[in-house]
Amino acid sequence: EPPVVFYNVYQANQTLAARVVSEQLEQLGSAGSRVSGVAMTTIGGSASTNYNCPKCWKAVHHESGNEILTLQALYDHCAAGRSKLVAYIHSK
């Protein structure tokens, strides 16, 4: 079973975030079926920002915070037994 990727996207500087996220999602896209999905937690910036990623879903948006928010979601996912493999990445 491919891993679910938990992606912490810090987007206080939306121009920089868009560039970094685009590059990272391109790399994730090249993984093909080796990634089952990408749960995005966005922090700062606009809650309505969308990234071109068919395997992604916006898990939650926070006006402020840090990677602990995404790591907690990853932990909760694992504790609930939703998948056997997970990965964590961030845009900083």
Side-chain angles (χ1 to χ4, degrees):
E1 170 184 346
V4 173
V5 176
F6 286 79
Y7 192 5
N8 186 81
V9 180
Y10 185 70
Q11 54 184 20
N13 179 334
Q14 293 214 231
T15 303
L16 177 61
R19 190 171 67 238
V20 171
V21 170
S22 175
E23 181 181 306
Q24 291 176 326
L25 289 177
E26 185 178 317
Q27 292 175 9
L28 276 175
S30 69
S33 62
R34 292 177 294 189
V35 171
S36 65
V38 180
M40 298 180 85
T41 298
T42 55
I43 300 171
S46 173
S48 63
T49 300
N50 289 313
Y51 298 99
N52 184 20
C53 177
K55 289 190 171 195
C56 296
W57 69 91
K58 190 172 285 186
V60 66
H61 175 79
H62 298 278
E63 292 299 317
S64 63
N66 57 37
E67 62 274 1
I68 297 299
L69 298 166
T70 307
L71 291 170
Q72 184 64 53
L74 182 152
Y75 174 82
D76 293 343
H77 177 91
C78 292
R82 293 190 187 113
S83 62
K84 293 181 181 184
L85 296 172
V86 295
Y88 170 82
I89 62 172
H90 58 84
S91 63
K92 291 201 306 183

